[in-house]
Amino acid sequence: MAQLTLVSHRLCPYVQRAAISLMEKGLPFERVTIDLADKPAWFKAISPLGKVPLLRVNGDSNETVIFESAVILEFLEETEAGPLHPADPLTRARHRAWIEFGSAILNAIGRFYSAAGEAAFRAEGEALSAMFDRIEMELADRTGPGPWFAGARFSLVDAVYGPIFRYFDTFDRIGDFGILDDKPLVRAWRMALSERRSVKEAVDPDYPQRLHTFLRAKASHLSEIIRQGDQATLLPQVRSA
Ligand SMILES: N[C@@H](CCC(=O)N[C@@H](CS)C(=O)NCC(=O)O)C(=O)O
């Protein structure tokens, strides 16, 4: 059996989807975490796009490196037991499309937390909210109650959206941005994903603190809100000191 190594970064949602798939399939794998701000030479040598995740697949005599998370997911589907894609080709195509939509949401989340100025921040929040409206419609079309994207079976779409919803746990601690408001099916899906073992274990326990620190360090409207919030909680302590 090939040895699998997932080259990772602690905050990367694309790494998390690969880790979730590996865990759902019960596959042993090693995780090697790198600092994207200081990429090691060995990583640059094997990562054509300079991005994580990479899956290093060690056979008996050779190693193959797979890059791009969607390709890693498909490779694991083709080579390992415990399918997370549906068997029907049309349904599978639909799942792949919603995985692509998940990547578009990740880009929108990046624009949201990087937006400079209140107007841009609000616009990005509204754009994100509209994307989740589309998902709410899709979940409403589901036959059966859930809790997963496709109903009773956990699928790769779930593996992709678990890391997406995790951002909102941190956003919710910073402020009420209303992005997921009035979307009861999205809310229930988010809750179910947050309790799934593979989703929880795809990150280290200190992930929320790391994400908070990352967001705070950006020169963005959100980082301003974080800093103001920190001031507000610090002030009473300063006063009582
Ligand atoms: N399309 C890629 C996206 C992966 C990606 O954007 N990874 C980010 C971290 S989350 C990265 O490695 N960025 C390179 C950098 O920050 O230099 C995939 O699905 O694997």
Side-chain angles (χ1 to χ4, degrees):
M1 189 184 168
Q3 282 186 337
L4 302 173
T5 305
L6 186 63
V7 181
S8 308
H9 175 263
R10 292 194 197 282
L11 290 178
C12 180
Y14 299 94
V15 167
Q16 291 174 48
R17 53 169 78 162
I20 292 168
S21 164
L22 287 159
M23 285 188 269
E24 288 289 336
K25 288 175 182 291
L27 291 167
F29 69 101
E30 193 191 341
R31 214 162 155 152
V32 172
T33 300
I34 64 152
D35 180 0
L36 284 170
D38 184 18
K39 295 175 187 168
W42 64 261
F43 171 75
K44 288 190 209 164
I46 63 169
S47 178
L49 294 172
K51 292 181 181 181
V52 289
L54 299 176
L55 187 68
R56 302 180 82 152
V57 183
N58 266 292
D60 289 339
S61 57
N62 62 345
E63 177 182 83
T64 305
V65 179
I66 306 175
F67 62 104
E68 283 298 313
S69 62
V71 180
I72 292 171
L73 295 181
E74 294 291 341
F75 168 72
L76 294 173
E77 283 302 293
E78 286 173 5
T79 54
E80 303 292 347
L84 295 168
H85 257 330
D88 170 58
L90 191 57
T91 315
R92 200 159 63 236
R94 206 182 125 254
H95 278 222
R96 287 185 175 125
W98 284 103
I99 287 172
E100 198 55 40
F101 194 79
S103 298
I105 291 183
L106 286 173
N107 288 333
I109 287 174
R111 289 194 297 273
F112 172 72
Y113 66 60
S114 307
E118 189 172 354
F121 178 75
R122 276 181 192 277
E124 295 299 349
E126 280 162 21
L128 253 182
S129 180
M131 293 179 99
F132 283 104
D133 283 335
R134 293 304 296 249
I135 292 180
E136 183 75 11
M137 282 161 61
E138 201 57 29
L139 293 175
D141 272 356
R142 187 172 49 186
T143 48
W148 310 119
F149 176 75
R153 270 191 76 143
F154 189 94
S155 74
L156 280 182
V157 183
D158 298 294
V160 166
Y161 283 76
I164 289 175
F165 288 123
R166 200 191 309 279
Y167 278 101
F168 289 87
D169 299 341
T170 294
F171 293 157
D172 286 351
R173 276 192 286 273
I174 298 169
D176 180 6
F177 307 120
I179 294 168
L180 301 180
D181 283 0
D182 305 320
K183 302 172 186 45
L185 299 174
V186 166
R187 193 173 58 235
W189 189 28
R190 173 188 178 185
M191 180 65 74
L193 283 168
S194 72
E195 288 165 2
R196 184 79 172 186
R197 189 170 173 188
S198 63
V199 174
K200 286 200 243 182
E201 293 185 356
V203 291
D204 293 327
D206 66 354
Y207 169 93
Q209 187 52 48
R210 276 182 192 274
L211 180 60
H212 190 270
T213 304
F214 168 80
L215 295 173
R216 194 182 191 281
K218 289 204 150 275
S220 66
H221 187 68
L222 187 64
S223 71
E224 273 302 307
I225 296 174
I226 296 173
R227 278 191 279 268
Q228 281 165 13
D230 289 354
Q231 286 293 329
T233 46
L234 272 177
L235 270 177
Q237 293 168 23
V238 171
R239 271 200 215 105
S240 64

